[in-house]
Amino acid sequence: MAAARLLVGENAVDDYFCEAEYGGRADRRGAALAVAQSAIDPAHNTPRYEADWRSGLASHPALRSMRSAMDHLRALATPAQAHRYRHDIASLYLGYDAEGDCITQHRTPAVWEYLVQRQFNNFRPCLTITDAVGGYELPAHLFAEPAVQRAVALSSNAATICNDLYSLRKEQQSERLHYSLPTVIAAEEDCSIEDAFQRAIEVHNDLVHLFEEQAAALSATHPRVARFMTGLSNWVGGNHEWHAGNVGARYPTSP
C-alpha cells in the first residue's frame, strides 16, 4: 500500500504540474516541482513561514498525496531508505525539468541526450524502495557501490523504455507531441517511425541484457545484494506484464 500511495502521488505531480491538459506549464514546471519536493523533504523555516508552507501544501491534491504517501513510507522504512527515496524523487523532477526545457524550445533532443534525460525521468523511485517494501534494508554503503548503482540505472532505464514502446501508439493518437525513444530515433536517423520503433526495441533489449549480466555478477557478492537484485528483476518483469496487458488494461494491445 505504501508503494501504491507513492506511485499515485508521483503520477499526480506529473499530471498536475507537467501535463498541459491538467494545467501544467513547461515554463513554470521548475518552481512547481520545487514545492512538490518539499512535500516529502520538509522545509525548515521560522514558525510564520512554516505555517504558510503547510497551508500551501494543504491547498493542492497532488501535494497532499505526496505528503501522505511519504508518511506511509517513513512508517516502514529506515531513515536511510526514506532519504534514498527523497533523492530519487529530486532526480525524477530534474528529468521532468529537462523534458519541459525541450518542449519550451520546441527542440527534439539527440538520442543520447534523451537517454540521459530518461535516466532521471524514469521508474527508479519505484524500484529502489523494493527493500523497504520487502521488510529489509540494503545498507547505504552497499547501495552506493558503483556496480549496484549501475544495476539500478539499467533496470530503471529498461523499465521506462518499455513504457516508451507500449505507449507510442496511444501517444500518436493524441494531439500533443510526446517525446519517446522511437520519436527521437526517427528524428535523428531520418527514418520511419516503424523502423525507429524496431531500433528502440533493440535498445530496450540491450539494456535488459546488460542489467541481467550486472545483477548476476552482483548476486554472488552479498546475500542482501542478491535479494535486492531479485527485487529489481521482479519489478522489471512485472512492469512488462502490466504494459503488455496481462495485468491491467492501460495498454491492452501489442505495441
Side-chain angles (χ1 to χ4, degrees), residues 10-62:
E10 293 161 25
N11 280 285
V13 168
D14 188 12
D15 284 345
Y16 278 109
F17 301 140
C18 301
E19 300 295 338
E21 52 264 48
Y22 297 108
R25 289 177 50 181
D27 60 343
R28 299 184 61 181
R29 184 177 296 186
L33 292 176
V35 173
Q37 180 67 17
S38 76
I40 64 171
D41 197 354
H44 299 281
N45 296 310
T46 62
R48 172 189 171 185
Y49 293 110
E50 182 168 338
D52 290 343
W53 164 70
R54 291 184 181 279
S55 177
L57 292 187
S59 70
H60 198 286

Side-chain angles (χ1 to χ4, degrees), residues 81-160:
Q81 288 172 319
H83 183 70
R84 182 203 302 169
Y85 179 78
R86 294 188 190 99
H87 178 274
D88 286 345
I89 288 294
S91 295
L92 176 70
Y93 292 166
L94 178 62
Y96 288 173
D97 284 335
E99 179 187 57
D101 183 64
C102 289
I103 292 172
T104 300
Q105 297 181 47
H106 303 285
R107 179 178 68 86
T108 301
V111 174
W112 70 265
E113 183 185 0
Y114 177 80
L115 290 171
V116 168
Q117 293 178 13
R118 249 342 195 178
Q119 184 158 313
F120 292 100
N121 180 5
N122 69 13
F123 294 131
R124 179 186 172 107
C126 301
L127 279 80
T128 58
I129 62 170
T130 182
D131 55 339
V133 173
Y136 72 100
E137 181 182 15
L138 181 66
H141 71 280
L142 291 177
F143 180 76
E145 284 289 336
V148 173
Q149 286 297 298
R150 175 171 168 78
V152 169
L154 288 168
S155 57
S156 302
N157 292 346
T160 308

